[in-house]
Every structure is written in structure tokens, then in C-alpha cells.
Amino acid sequence: RTLRLSRAPINGDALPGHVWSVRDITQQKLTDASRDQFIDTATHELRTPLANIKAYAETLAMGDMIDVEEQKEFCNTINAEATRLARFVDDLLSISSLEVGSIGIQRTNVDVRRLLEEAAEKIRPLMKQRSMTFEVTLSEKLGEARIDKDKVSGMVVNLLGNAAKYTPEGGTVTLAAIRQGEELKIEVRDTGVGIAEEEADRVFEKFFRSANPAVRDNVGTGLGLPLAREIARLHRGDITLASKLGEGSTFTALLPVQ
Ligand code: ADP
């Protein structure tokens, strides 16, 4: 832990002297390191596709130097690079739209089953695109809960998006939910790349991304999970993780229904 000692003058003239305050800056330093990592990622995710698009477009503009087949190939590459760029920007925007106002939550009476069904529909196109088997098993007795509809939906979509992203094509993703007394248990399971034991605690840190190349191949910000956990905690709940490298992961959100 790193502590910083600072000296501040006491307000007013009556008492000469200073107050010594000790502030724990460990968290701040950690965030600084992760932020550097994020800037590296962002720079790479923005610069690389742009540089490629520019290079291929310039070659295409020269026209007569390449044949039609090559032109087609170059256009496909430009398209793929633009898609990657768009995905990163989408990620950033969806994260920031979740983050805006996340200091507080607005609870209303929510039909939990409907909320989860709607969240599943939002992610279904991605599941289809990646040829995933997407199983949704929701208890009939989920009932109502006093929760923030948009934030909990964002949390679930985020977990499902990760499950789709970090599972090879053709895998299985499951969304399951039951009510246990005064608590909702929402589970997102996948048969994907999994998370190494030594990284399991770190995935909830801001800007953290696994060193696993199977993860690095995908676009990401490292902000989805910390935000998802923050949403759960704002509801006085939490998100936990059980995973085995190479076999899959299960993220479990427990939320009191209030
Ligand atoms: P991002 O997905 O943008 O990198 P997240 O905060 O959502 O950021 O996730 C942080 C990291 O946790 C990911 O980079 C990845 O290493 C790991 N992770 C998250 N979800 C999964 C999952 N379902 N399977 C394997 N690894 C995951």
C-alpha cells in the first residue's frame, strides 16, 4: 500500500499550525496503471484499423497497379477493419452511456422475467452471427423486483456480450434466473475460453484485459465487468465468477428484490 502524507493549513487565524492527513493512494496508483493500459489498447484499436484502411485505400486509388481480384480483396480488408473500428467505438459508447449517472439508481417495480427476456432479445443477433446455441431458462416465479430496469438490463446484456465474445463460434451461452427468497440469482454461463485462476480477481478491475491471446483477438475496453459489478453493488448485490481456463465461465449476479 502506498500512503501519501500531506500538510494542510488549518482554516482561520485562531489556531496556528497544520493538520496532517494520511491518504491511501493505492487505489489511485492502480487506476493510473490500468488507465495507461487502456490508453495503449485504445490507441491500438483506433490507430491500427485507420492505418490499414488508409494504406489499402491509397493502393486502390492508384488503380491500374492491381487486378480486379486484388481490388476485391483490398475492399474486403477495408470493410473488416472498418467493422472492427465501429465495434470498438460502439463498446466505448455503450459503456459511457451506462456510466452516465451510474452514481445512483432509480428503482421501480419491474417484471423481472420480461426484463431478462428483453435483454436476451437485444443480444440474440450477436449470438446468431456467432452461430451460438443460446439457451434462456427463466423461472416462472421471478416475480417483481424494485430495481433499476435500464441498469440491470445493461448489466445482463454486458455479461451476455462477453460470453458471446469470449466463446469460440458454435459454443453455448446460457442465461438462467431463479428467485431465492428475497434474492434474484441471474447466471450467465458460457463454454468459452475461460479465465485463469490468477486473473479471476482482476477481471473486475477497471481497464483490465486478460493476457490470453484468445481474448486479445477481440475488441474490448476492460470497462464492462467493473461497471456490471458496480450496478449489482448499487443494488446491494454482487457479481461473482466461477471459471476454468479453456472450459468456460459462469458469472452470477445476486440482487436483493427489496
Ligand atoms: P472487455 O470485454 O471489454 O475486455 P470486460 O471488463 O467486460 O472488458 O472484461 C474484462 C476481461 O475479463 C476481459 O478482457 C476478459 O479477459 C475477461 N472476461 C470477461 N468475460 C469473460 C468471459 N465470459 N470469458 C472469458 N473471459 C472473460
Side-chain angles (χ1 to χ4, degrees):
R1 303 192 81 78
T2 314
L3 300 174
R4 181 178 283 163
L5 206 57
S6 61
R7 212 166 59 139
I10 294 175
N11 284 338
D13 298 320
L15 274 168
H18 291 89
V19 175
W20 290 92
S21 68
V22 180
R23 198 155 58 94
D24 187 342
I25 60 165
T26 312
Q27 197 57 38
Q28 183 190 332
K29 281 188 77 173
L30 259 183
T31 314
D32 286 349
S34 322
R35 187 167 296 148
D36 288 349
Q37 195 185 322
F38 171 72
I39 289 170
D40 279 355
T41 308
T43 307
H44 178 78
E45 288 303 336
L46 297 172
R47 275 225 181 108
T48 310
L50 278 176
N52 285 337
I53 289 170
K54 198 166 173 331
Y56 282 102
E58 277 169 4
T59 314
L60 274 173
M62 287 192 266
D64 51 6
M65 293 180 70
I66 47 175
D67 63 31
V68 177
E69 265 318 296
E70 257 178 331
Q71 281 182 17
K72 222 172 171 180
E73 209 179 288
F74 282 20
C75 287
N76 285 338
T77 308
I78 289 175
N79 201 1
E81 291 294 295
T83 305
R84 189 180 169 97
L85 193 59
R87 213 177 308 147
F88 185 67
V89 173
D90 280 353
D91 256 25
L92 279 182
L93 291 180
S94 64
I95 294 297
S96 52
S97 72
L98 260 184
E99 203 158 37
V100 169
S102 72
I103 309 108
I105 50 168
Q106 290 190 325
R107 292 181 190 267
T108 55
N109 284 336
V110 174
D111 178 334
V112 178
R113 200 183 152 90
R114 181 165 338 141
L115 180 152
L116 293 174
E117 276 167 355
E118 283 172 7
E121 285 323 302
K122 282 189 192 151
I123 210 77
R124 207 176 282 284
L126 179 65
M127 296 293 178
K128 214 168 172 183
Q129 190 191 328
R130 311 217 59 237
S131 310
M132 296 288 178
T133 303
F134 182 29
E135 285 168 357
V136 181
T137 54
L138 306 174
S139 155
E140 293 291 337
K141 295 178 190 140
L142 287 170
E144 283 203 337
R146 276 192 72 74
I147 51 179
D148 187 313
K149 190 169 175 244
D150 292 338
K151 294 221 164 65
V152 172
S153 171
M155 176 191 86
V156 173
V157 169
N158 220 298
L159 295 176
L160 288 171
N162 277 349
K165 206 157 72 164
Y166 301 121
T167 300
E169 290 204 3
T172 302
V173 173
T174 308
L175 169 65
I178 53 170
R179 185 167 171 146
Q180 294 179 325
E182 291 304 290
E183 248 181 357
L184 290 173
K185 183 175 171 187
I186 304 170
E187 253 182 30
V188 175
R189 290 192 291 269
D190 66 58
T191 56
V193 300
I195 295 161
E197 219 179 304
E198 62 271 20
E199 288 187 337
D201 285 337
R202 301 203 60 206
V203 295
F204 292 101
E205 278 173 23
K206 263 188 173 176
F207 305 121
F208 176 81
R209 302 203 75 213
S210 168
N212 186 346
V215 167
R216 292 293 170 124
D217 282 349
N218 289 280
V219 179
T221 56
L223 288 169
L225 283 183
L227 216 61
R229 177 173 260 182
E230 193 191 333
I231 291 167
R233 288 187 173 174
L234 283 166
H235 286 85
R236 295 180 204 287
D238 207 353
I239 298 182
T240 54
L241 158 69
S243 184
K244 212 163 181 196
L245 194 62
E247 289 185 18
S249 310
T250 301
F251 286 88
T252 306
L254 284 176
L255 299 180
V257 291
Q258 272 240 333

